[in-house]
Amino acid sequence: MDIESILKDLEQLPPFPTVVAQALTLLDSPDSSAMDVVKVVQYDQAITANVLKVCNSAYFGLPGKVSSLREAVIRLGNKQLKEIILTGTVVKYYKNAMEGYALSKHDLWKHAISTAIISRIISKRFPGVDEGAVFTAGLLHDVGKTILDSVVDEYFNQMFALVGEKGYSFTEAEQEVLGLDHAEIGARMGELWGFPKEIVHAIRFHHAPPEGDESDLVTQVVYLGNVICLMLGIGVGRQGLHVRGRDEILEQHGMDINDLQVIMAGFLDEYQKVQDIIDLG
Ligand SMILES: [Fe+2]
Ligand SMILES: [Fe+2]
């Protein structure tokens, strides 16, 4: 398979919306005010409508109805607002069915949002990690699949043979047959879109965090979040064909089946609430 032709597909990628990029930068800056954010976002109807909808949902349970963007921005706080804007933007890329990965419509989205939620829950075990970055990276970790899907579909028999007969993981089969895997292509999308370095790093290494690089907690947490999500079978498709070393990974991080149950309970609770506010239409 010719890597160049896969990379050509990257050139067709729509640019990351400028308004969203500006809003996210402002929300990260300690010097910007709520009004600065409102000024940037107010002319984008889709973002405004989404922020108001989420703000008035049972998920936040805010008393009284929030009727203006300004009020929403003030009441939600930067962290939550960032999550809402980013989630609303990313969902568009994830919505289609993917033949190559045998994911039906919305499956990859379910997997992405579930990995984000689980990663955020796990991040409580890693003092000092930036929870917001963990959520964002969790949401975006498999974004490369949206580009690779058609190629995987075309070369599936070859990949399946490696997985079935030679014990390759699905990601290893991608590397062998296509020349690069969905993690690498996702990282390149992140670079093109100007995502922060730690997010790009977490996307690139979400299947294999570099050994000895304990400093990069976001990557570690998302790696673990993705493994747990695959174990729970959420939006897995063909990726679930073979995942390497699952039990050891839990053990390495001092977790056992009881911890998994606690994480699962927290996840189900949160996922239920999120379902009410995410429009999958
Ligand atoms: Fe992945
Ligand atoms: Fe994943």
Side-chain angles (χ1 to χ4, degrees):
M1 176 65 205
D2 179 13
I3 295 182
E4 292 307 313
S5 72
I6 298 179
L7 294 179
K8 269 227 150 43
D9 287 344
L10 265 189
E11 289 166 18
Q12 314 289 322
L13 196 66
F16 197 70
T18 320
V19 177
V20 178
Q22 281 173 350
L24 296 181
T25 309
L26 281 174
L27 289 168
D28 269 338
S29 155
D31 303 326
S32 63
S33 69
M35 269 324 282
D36 294 330
V37 180
V38 172
K39 270 187 212 151
V40 168
V41 172
Q42 64 186 339
Y43 300 111
D44 189 306
Q45 267 184 15
I47 297 179
T48 303
N50 195 37
V51 168
L52 285 179
K53 182 177 130 196
V54 175
C55 201
N56 284 310
S57 69
Y59 182 68
F60 285 105
L62 298 175
K65 199 165 166 58
V66 177
S67 50
S68 75
L69 185 61
R70 186 168 178 274
E71 200 187 339
V73 169
I74 291 167
R75 291 183 71 173
L76 286 174
N78 288 13
K79 228 173 83 184
Q80 281 172 331
L81 195 60
K82 212 175 133 181
E83 275 180 23
I84 295 169
I85 294 177
L86 194 80
T87 309
T89 308
V90 171
V91 69
K92 287 201 270 299
Y93 299 98
Y94 274 143
K95 271 209 260 192
N96 297 330
M98 298 198 198
E99 305 287 327
Y101 289 98
L103 293 165
S104 56
K105 208 166 180 259
H106 307 318
D107 269 359
L108 188 57
W109 171 244
K110 266 189 222 158
H111 175 72
I113 190 83
S114 303
T115 303
I117 293 171
I118 291 172
S119 300
R120 191 171 51 193
I121 294 173
I122 307 171
S123 66
K124 311 259 185 268
R125 296 163 178 264
F126 292 77
V129 70
D130 177 348
E131 271 185 46
V134 161
F135 186 87
T136 306
L139 203 57
L140 294 165
H141 76 281
D142 271 340
V143 75
K145 286 186 177 175
T146 61
I147 294 268
L148 272 198
D149 180 62
S150 57
V151 201
V152 168
D153 196 30
E154 199 181 325
Y155 289 83
F156 184 68
N157 288 343
Q158 240 173 295
M159 291 172 62
F160 189 72
L162 290 178
V163 173
E165 289 157 25
K166 298 202 172 162
Y168 279 51
S169 72
F170 198 75
T171 313
E172 286 161 356
E174 282 180 345
Q175 288 161 1
E176 177 80 18
V177 176
L178 311 177
L180 81 185
D181 60 20
H182 67 272
E184 177 58 29
I185 203 93
R188 293 189 193 201
M189 286 170 84
E191 282 163 354
L192 276 177
W193 279 342
F195 288 159
K197 267 200 189 122
E198 59 180 348
I199 304 290
V200 172
H201 190 273
I203 297 174
R204 179 165 277 130
F205 296 109
H206 75 264
H207 285 290
E211 266 180 53
D213 188 6
E214 298 292 317
S215 62
D216 193 14
L217 286 179
V218 176
T219 303
Q220 298 280 342
V221 173
V222 171
Y223 162 67
L224 206 50
N226 180 52
V227 170
I228 292 176
C229 204
L230 293 174
M231 282 178 179
L232 299 175
I234 306 162
V236 170
R238 282 171 177 161
Q239 178 100 60
L241 280 177
H242 193 83
V243 183
R244 216 170 267 297
R246 304 196 280 201
D247 295 343
E248 298 91 82
I249 292 163
L250 286 186
E251 224 176 273
Q252 265 170 27
H253 288 85
M255 287 190 210
D256 59 22
I257 194 77
N258 293 326
D259 295 300
L260 265 192
Q261 276 167 358
V262 173
I263 292 167
M264 179 76 176
F267 161 72
L268 286 176
D269 188 39
E270 183 113 339
Y271 186 70
Q272 195 54 46
K273 290 189 213 154
V274 169
Q275 285 234 296
D276 298 342
I277 52 174
I278 291 173
D279 175 18
L280 285 176

